[in-house]
Amino acid sequence: MKIAPAPTATPAVPVDDQRNLYYALVKTRRFDERCRRLFKQGRFPGTYFSAVGQEATTVGPTYGLTMRDVITTSHREIGAAITKGMPLVAILRQIYARADSPDKGHSHPCHFGYPAVNLFTPASTVAAQTVVGTGMALAFKMRREPHVVLNFFGEGATARGAFHEALNFAGVHDLPIVFICENNLWAESVPAHLTSRIERFSDRAKAYGFPGVTVDGNDLLLTHTTAREAIVRARAGKGPTLIECLTYRWYGHSEIDPANYRDAQEVEYWTARDPVARFEQHLDSEGIMTRAEREALIARVDAEIEEAIQQAESSPFAPPEEALNDVYSFSPAETFPTRDAGSGARGIR
Amino acid sequence: MKTVSYIEAITEALAEEMRRDERVFVMGEDVGLYGGVFKATKGLQPEFGPLRVLDTPISEELIVGAAVGAAAVGMRPVPEIQFSDFASCSFDPIVQQMAKLRYRSGGGWTCPMVLRICCGGEVGGGLYHSQTNEQWFFGTAGLVVVAPATPYDAKGLLKAAIRGDDPVVYLEHKRLYRWVRGEIPEDDYTVPLGNADIKRQGRTITIVCYQLMVHRALEAADILSREGIELEVIDLRTLLPWDREMVLSSVRKTGKALIVHESPKTGGVGGEIAATIMEEAFDDLDAPVARLAAPDVPPVPFAPPMEKFFMPDAAKIAARCRQLAAY
Ligand SMILES: Cc1ncc(C[n+]2csc(CCOP(=O)(O)OP(=O)(O)O)c2C)c(N)n1
């Protein structure tokens, strides 16, 4: 599967921003690879959904959002979580399902949510976040607030009715939402060409009356500037944009998937288009960061990661009775005193 | 006090809550310009405008999913599903979002919203416009399921639901909309969620019911009291979490229980209540716990004689109670 030639020349991005973008990019890559290793070493349960290869697609658009802007994601947006400001230790505690995890061990390893930075905790249902994110954008419009919603999903998600319902509604009401389709060419083991008659998923925007654009999702500055333009548009009340980022996941759907449905040439083609190496070349050639500076930064990132791992691994599991909390706003024993007194629910909290 | 219909009580609750709190808004199919297919939202759009009383496309997954999103960022949405039968199209946001958001985020995100769903038979609506499908939601921890029977409860429960911090599925019965009238206070009031209500005291048999069946049970109680059988009619009002304490203490007093609902028997709410009574109050029982429900066919058949056959009514309740009383 070939990629479309990268459109347009690289737009201007201030140097400081480029350095910050690199930090988020490299942190995402190093952390993601490290999480894969941790899983292979059997250090946490479940599975792990790597996004290695797709970093530019999540980091670029997320960088530069305000704290009040909301991000809604699915299972492969660790780059968005990191860039929005979710601490590594919080991410790891969730992966490890330890006490003090944001989800208290209730949910799923790669469904990262962090209310403090308006990173919305996702559900597993593919495309579910499209309707929910649309409702958030509706709330912002109703309250005349300038915030936007950045809504991430895979190309596989665009087949679902929820996606259609969300984009249709967002279009009708010119809602402040930017839809970002991460087209990594595969939905689990099913290739994109078997799930859609059209080649460009951004074409779907036509049906909803707002712009759709396809970009090279491995070009960090391009994903950043394209999203930035769409965000400005959304904030100005001019409605949604659908951005398709062409990218690739290097590994299996999750770490328990050997991904042997893909041919080696395809993987080779795409790993040669590594978004990280590509941005490093750019930083070098533009003289924005020297190799030595980059290496020092990577060493710092790696130290951050090791520190977070230590912290997370030294957290205990929450007591099993934690399973009974956060079902309702009240603890079962108090507001509904009729609940089973012997269930163990009484007195927790 | 003033007298209003069940639907007027609902409209009043919506209007008053929208006036009280600007975070409250209504969205759904035909709720705006038209005022709702049953007119539950009549008069709201002229007062609150097209954005707070929002006509949506026919997109049930969007209606509920968007409400979840709006609730998560601080609004108090009250979306409407026009006919409970079509809640099937919004099942994902109901069971995966509304019910789980607080839990999956360890309390970090919450979902304070009220999903109004219009349900109920005895209206000649046929297979796709008549079912009461409370059992779809009853098995979903994380939801609060409310099902009022009277105008007083309809208004008070809806207001409590809107002010609360939990996701509520609020089931309103379309047969009750105009058929039932009742007194409500002139002033603001709420009815707490989670509490059942004894609609009639009695010593012979405890009837556990809700919505339309409360009225049918009260009719049966009138008939039976002439025969010396005194029904204690408990209106659950909130189905999930349900008021175990009130049901159990009533059964401990009467020693006999009949649960009545208009949805089919298998997998219905009645099975859970019956099992709980057996677990908790077996020693106090003088007869096996009984259930009266609709037959296990897709609800609700259309031909009028078939619909009548399908629906539990006062005569069927009375007949079953006579058997129980004689046991
Ligand atoms: C509604 C639904 N159906 C099936 C699944 C199982 N599932 C999880 S991810 C996935 C593939 C998603 O593909 P895509 O949207 O392209 O995202 P990607 O994994 O490529 O990032 C499937 C089928 C699910 N989570 N939800």
Side-chain angles (χ1 to χ4, degrees):
Chain A
M1 171 65 103
K2 293 279 183 275
I3 189 175
T8 66
T10 307
V13 176
V15 166
D16 277 352
D17 287 333
Q18 295 202 35
R19 297 168 73 97
N20 293 338
L21 275 161
Y22 179 65
Y23 170 70
L25 183 77
V26 99
K27 188 168 166 180
T28 300
R29 165 65 59 88
R30 306 289 294 187
F31 186 64
D32 198 337
E33 286 286 14
R34 192 74 179 85
C35 288
R36 294 183 60 236
R37 286 223 311 282
L38 293 170
F39 178 73
K40 293 215 179 322
Q41 292 164 350
R43 283 156 78 171
F44 59 81
T47 184
Y48 177 76
F49 292 81
S50 166
V52 166
Q54 304 187 194
E55 295 88 349
T57 294
T58 49
V59 170
T62 305
Y63 178 76
L65 289 181
T66 71
M67 208 277 286
R68 295 292 304 277
D69 295 328
V70 182
I71 293 209
T72 55
T73 60
S74 183
H75 54 285
R76 213 181 298 285
E77 285 82 19
I78 194 167
I82 289 174
T83 310
K84 192 77 172 41
M86 183 171 180
L88 297 187
V89 65
I91 295 178
L92 278 167
R93 284 202 177 113
Q94 171 152 354
I95 289 175
Y96 276 81
R98 297 299 169 88
D100 296 331
S101 157
D103 71 327
K104 304 202 185 130
H106 290 159
S107 193
H108 188 265
C110 287
H111 287 161
F112 307 119
Y114 206 63
V117 299
N118 281 312
L119 175 70
F120 185 68
T121 310
S124 272
T125 326
V126 161
Q129 71 276 26
T130 58
V131 282
V132 174
T134 298
M136 293 170 165
L138 176 67
F140 296 153
K141 177 177 171 169
M142 285 175 162
R143 298 198 298 243
R144 297 198 177 81
E145 292 172 349
H147 319 308
V148 299
V149 179
L150 213 55
N151 195 266
F152 288 96
F153 47 86
E155 85 291 345
T158 70
R160 278 210 57 223
F163 168 84
H164 170 81
E165 293 189 16
L167 271 72
N168 182 52
F169 187 82
V172 166
H173 291 280
D174 284 330
L175 296 185
I177 182 165
V178 178
F179 295 102
I180 301 197
C181 174
E182 300 160 78
N183 182 359
N184 61 11
L185 308 186
W186 293 89
E188 261 189 272
S189 67
V190 184
H193 71 86
L194 289 186
T195 64
S196 168
R197 177 58 81 188
I198 55 174
E199 199 177 325
R200 289 278 170 261
F201 285 82
S202 60
D203 287 350
R204 298 212 191 281
K206 284 200 189 86
Y208 314 114
F210 56 79
V213 46
T214 297
V215 299
D216 178 347
N218 285 1
D219 181 336
L220 182 63
L221 291 182
L222 187 62
T223 61
H224 174 61
T225 53
T226 307
R228 199 174 55 188
E229 224 172 89
I231 289 164
V232 167
R233 208 181 107 81
R235 271 196 225 289
K238 294 183 182 155
T241 306
L242 171 61
I243 301 173
E244 176 190 18
C245 294
L246 281 169
T247 187
Y248 199 71
R249 69 164 151 80
W250 285 10
Y251 307 114
H253 174 64
S254 85
E255 288 303 309
I256 53 175
D257 165 24
N260 48 16
Y261 39 82
R262 315 186 296 193
D263 66 51
Q265 272 174 324
E266 180 183 291
V267 179
E268 216 174 280
Y269 174 90
W270 281 96
T271 45
R273 278 151 188 79
D274 175 6
V276 178
R278 181 162 162 187
F279 194 57
E280 286 173 344
Q281 272 162 22
H282 162 81
L283 293 174
D284 278 348
S285 66
E286 298 290 311
I288 293 169
M289 262 178 123
T290 64
R291 196 189 160 125
E293 277 179 298
R294 283 198 283 105
E295 277 166 7
L297 185 112
I298 289 171
R300 219 175 75 215
V301 163
D302 284 349
E304 257 186 83
I305 293 170
E306 293 314 314
E307 158 91 28
I309 293 170
Q310 275 221 326
Q311 275 186 46
E313 290 192 346
S314 59
S315 310
F317 284 111
E321 295 77 16
E322 184 62 58
L324 300 175
N325 288 342
D326 298 317
V327 180
Y328 297 104
S329 63
F330 42 87
S331 92
E334 51 188 59
T335 311
F336 292 100
T338 51
R339 281 289 194 81
D340 185 356
S343 71
R346 206 176 282 269
I348 291 165
R349 254 170 201 258
Chain B
M1 286 288 191
K2 58 181 176 183
T3 301
V4 297
S5 66
Y6 184 92
I7 196 167
E8 283 162 353
I10 289 165
T11 311
E12 275 194 16
L14 291 171
E16 288 173 18
E17 291 307 297
M18 289 180 79
R19 272 174 222 136
R20 189 188 58 79
D21 182 349
E22 60 178 27
R23 298 171 303 171
V24 180
F25 72 96
V26 166
M27 66 192 286
E29 291 152 22
D30 308 291
V31 298
L33 278 177
Y34 193 56
V37 287
F38 295 98
K39 299 286 176 252
T41 51
K42 189 175 161 205
L44 297 184
Q45 198 180 61
E47 181 174 354
F48 299 104
L51 205 50
R52 279 184 81 194
V53 185
L54 201 149
D55 278 321
T56 65
I58 303 166
S59 301
E60 281 79 5
E61 187 161 1
L62 178 279
I63 292 167
V64 183
V68 169
V73 297
M75 301 296 279
R76 296 266 158 168
V78 189
E80 174 182 308
I81 296 288
Q82 204 167 62
F83 290 91
S84 69
D85 313 71
F86 308 121
S88 55
C89 302
S90 51
F91 223 59
D92 182 59
I94 295 173
V95 304
Q96 310 282 18
Q97 303 283 351
M98 285 178 69
K100 288 184 181 174
L101 179 54
R102 179 183 288 273
Y103 195 75
R104 80 173 187 240
S105 64
W109 294 93
T110 59
C111 192
M113 62 178 274
V114 184
L115 176 59
R116 290 179 44 244
I117 301 184
C118 173
C119 66
E122 232 182 58
V123 289
L127 274 191
Y128 294 96
H129 293 81
S130 298
Q131 58 190 318
T132 51
N133 32 22
E134 66 280 2
Q135 72 281 7
W136 291 5
F137 315 108
F138 184 67
T140 305
L143 297 178
V144 174
V145 182
V146 172
T150 65
Y152 180 88
D153 289 341
K155 184 171 179 185
L157 287 164
L158 183 50
K159 285 173 148 260
I162 291 171
R163 294 178 197 184
D165 286 325
D166 295 286
V168 175
V169 170
Y170 179 92
L171 300 167
E172 43 201 67
H173 199 291
K174 67 176 87 69
R175 178 74 177 90
L176 297 177
Y177 273 155
R178 291 188 164 72
W179 177 63
V180 174
R181 299 180 65 78
E183 285 201 330
I184 61 170
E186 301 279 350
D187 297 335
D188 186 41
Y189 72 99
T190 59
V191 172
L193 307 182
N195 295 337
D197 184 38
I198 298 182
K199 288 286 194 278
R200 179 183 175 124
Q201 308 260 359
R203 286 174 303 101
T204 321
I205 300 169
T206 298
I207 307 289
V208 182
C209 52
Y210 43 93
Q211 288 185 324
L212 179 59
M213 289 304 118
V214 172
H215 301 279
R216 298 299 175 236
L218 290 170
E219 289 162 23
D222 280 343
I223 299 168
L224 291 170
S225 74
R226 284 174 240 135
E227 303 168 22
I229 298 171
E230 295 297 337
L231 301 188
E232 175 141 302
V233 178
I234 295 188
D235 175 2
L236 280 182
R237 301 197 294 193
T238 297
L239 308 185
L240 183 72
W242 59 282
D243 192 340
R244 297 161 57 113
E245 209 161 81
M246 184 175 284
V247 170
L248 290 172
S249 71
S250 173
V251 172
R252 289 191 174 113
K253 181 176 75 177
T254 61
K256 292 179 179 175
L258 171 68
I259 303 130
V260 186
H261 55 67
E262 72 176 84
S263 47
K265 184 183 258 185
T266 301
V269 168
E272 178 62 29
I273 295 167
T276 304
I277 295 171
M278 303 284 251
E279 277 178 348
E280 305 286 331
F282 186 77
D283 292 344
D284 298 296
L285 288 175
D286 296 325
V289 178
R291 286 179 291 162
L292 182 69
D296 289 330
V297 299
V300 173
F302 179 63
M306 271 191 223
E307 181 177 40
K308 188 165 168 22
F309 173 79
F310 175 92
M311 295 288 292
D313 59 19
K316 291 173 194 170
I317 295 170
R320 192 69 186 85
C321 286
R322 285 186 195 105
Q323 291 172 350
L324 257 188
Y327 185 88

